[in-house]
Amino acid sequence: MDDEYDVVVVGAGVIGCAIADRLAPEREVLVLDRDGVAAGATGRAAGLVTPTLFYGDRPGAARHANEFFRSFDGTNGFEFSERTRYDYVLPAEVDTARERADALTGAGFPVDYLDAATVASTAPRLNLDGFAGAVRYADAGWVDPYSLATALLQRAVDRGATAVTDQPVTTVHSDGVELPDGEVGADTVIVAAGWATPDLVGSPLPIRAYRTQCVVLEPRSPLDDTFPVGRVGSEHLYFRPEHNGDLLVGGAHDIVSNPGRASAQADESFVETVARTVPDLVDGFEDAGLVNGWAGVDSATPDARPILDRVDDVIVATGFNGLGVLAAPIAAAVVSDLVRGHHRAYPEIDHEAFALDRFETTDPEFELTTTSDVGRS
């Protein structure tokens, strides 16, 4: 393959697809992936969408993402399932939870703290025995990650982009990429390849590969279309409904030294933890059946925020800490502004929050902050 493009995007996960979608109307874009669309971490993600929780301290970014999912709903078969989210709060966490809810409310987000009795009346299948209450996010929801990625890429192609899968990239540089059978030139190269990004770029980055797991449970009574999204930080678990009434449960974040060989199956120990814990958190799962389970490898940074920046004249988008689905619109906006240069189309987003130089070192040895820890005391 020998050709020239304005932009080459390496990686057809949800981040690469979102970037291609954003740039396609104004640039000639090529997307390359060694496997297929959403074949890596994206296809194994849970698909929870709560920008307010994870980006509420950057209100412009959170609002941008919230608006995107609602406006993109219905595009190329994509569906955004809007559901209220409840984050369980332990008695010792009440003051911190109230303060966080009040701060987000003050910033204009629909967030409040509810005591356990109130949660029982608004979400009767949630069991808060032993918990003081929950923080409620009224602007949350969930998506099917594969459908989101394919819908984004289809719109990018409709806008003029080219996508080639089963095409490995061996090397990237400032003016193109090298393939096993040739080269592709480009004015801008963007690498959105998850944990493999540092090796492709040839520069160290402060990211670590980690493995997260999901299982799907079938309750004796299917969940209805009002069942919420939830997170139990003390158990390092989160959950959301499936359209057929099953429950997806995720968690178990573990650093992996060889991500390319990490198991894609859920560990028996994690399945057992879910089977033991979920019946105490959600009513109707005492004798639930196991539908399936899987695992995926993502990348994390020390502060649980992605790196969206230029590194040796190549743009990188990596380190999403398991939040790539909800952060995809934010990443696409920031990266598209990096391509444009000084003419930013998204000034409401704090670009510096994602710059590489916020870290004092690129040494990847750091303690992992999981998505279950963000927003807790």
Side-chain angles (χ1 to χ4, degrees):
M1 178 186 293
D2 293 283
D3 218 330
E4 293 281 339
Y5 291 84
D6 295 331
V7 177
V8 171
V9 180
V10 181
V14 69
I15 302 300
C17 293
I19 291 169
D21 172 65
R22 193 65 56 93
L23 290 173
E26 56 194 63
R27 298 286 196 282
E28 188 177 8
V29 178
L30 171 66
V31 180
L32 299 173
D33 196 282
R34 64 184 179 184
D35 297 311
V37 180
T42 295
R44 296 183 172 275
L48 275 67
V49 175
T50 317
T52 298
L53 167 61
F54 296 104
Y55 287 89
D57 60 334
R58 306 289 178 180
R63 291 191 182 94
H64 179 83
N66 277 322
E67 292 168 2
F68 166 82
F69 285 103
R70 286 155 180 82
S71 65
F72 195 65
D73 184 32
T75 304
N76 294 330
F78 167 74
E79 180 179 357
F80 174 59
S81 298
E82 191 161 3
R83 299 291 175 91
T84 301
R85 174 171 178 150
Y86 293 84
D87 279 23
Y88 291 46
V89 175
L90 290 168
E93 300 173 330
V94 170
D95 289 343
T96 300
R98 286 186 184 276
E99 291 173 4
R100 180 172 179 80
D102 289 345
L104 291 171
T105 299
F109 296 105
V111 181
D112 53 7
Y113 172 79
L114 305 178
D115 60 32
T118 304
V119 173
S121 66
T122 59
R125 290 195 67 165
L126 300 187
N127 183 356
L128 269 68
D129 289 349
F131 293 88
V135 177
R136 177 174 62 178
Y137 297 83
D139 56 358
W142 64 275
V143 305
D144 174 70
Y146 178 80
S147 296
L148 173 60
T150 56
L152 284 164
L153 188 58
Q154 182 58 57
R155 191 167 74 170
V157 171
D158 292 342
R159 290 171 164 177
T162 300
V164 180
T165 55
D166 298 317
Q167 179 59 75
V169 173
T170 58
T171 308
V172 304
H173 40 79
S174 61
D175 57 357
V177 300
E178 296 180 13
L179 312 175
D181 60 350
E183 298 183 0
V184 175
D187 295 332
T188 303
V189 176
I190 301 166
V191 182
W195 55 265
T197 298
D199 288 341
L200 281 171
V201 175
S203 294
L205 295 172
I207 66 170
R208 300 193 73 177
Y210 75 99
R211 181 169 169 264
T212 186
Q213 303 180 54
C214 292
V215 299
V216 175
L217 302 177
E218 181 182 13
R220 63 173 182 264
S221 176
L223 304 172
D224 63 25
D225 59 8
T226 67
F227 186 84
V229 170
R231 179 180 68 157
V232 188
S234 59
E235 300 292 341
H236 300 284
L237 295 176
Y238 48 84
F239 56 81
R240 69 157 174 84
E242 296 271 50
H243 286 303
N244 65 354
D246 291 346
L247 184 72
L248 183 151
V249 184
H253 303 80
D254 302 303
I255 293 292
V256 290
S257 58
N258 192 342
R261 294 188 176 182
S263 173
Q265 303 300 315
D267 297 340
E268 183 177 343
S269 59
F270 178 66
V271 174
E272 291 175 351
T273 296
V274 170
R276 181 179 66 252
T277 307
V278 169
D280 294 331
L281 303 172
V282 183
D283 290 339
F285 282 82
E286 293 77 9
D287 54 358
L290 175 66
V291 178
N292 59 2
W294 62 87
V297 178
D298 208 329
S299 59
T301 62
D303 63 359
R305 293 284 167 83
I307 300 169
L308 308 171
D309 204 352
R310 287 187 178 273
V311 177
D312 297 332
D313 294 322
V314 173
I315 296 175
V316 301
T318 188
F320 286 87
N321 205 73
L323 303 175
V325 169
L326 75 84
I330 301 170
V334 173
V335 169
S336 65
D337 275 352
L338 288 172
V339 173
R340 293 186 186 92
H342 296 296
H343 304 289
R344 290 184 175 180
Y346 303 96
E348 73 277 11
I349 299 177
D350 179 10
H351 293 49
E352 297 307 313
F354 309 105
L356 177 60
D357 64 8
R358 73 186 190 271
F359 302 114
E360 294 182 358
T361 176
T362 56
D363 183 354
E365 296 303 316
F366 56 84
E367 183 177 351
L368 180 66
T369 299
T370 73
T371 55
S372 296
D373 299 320
V374 177
R376 299 178 64 231
S377 58

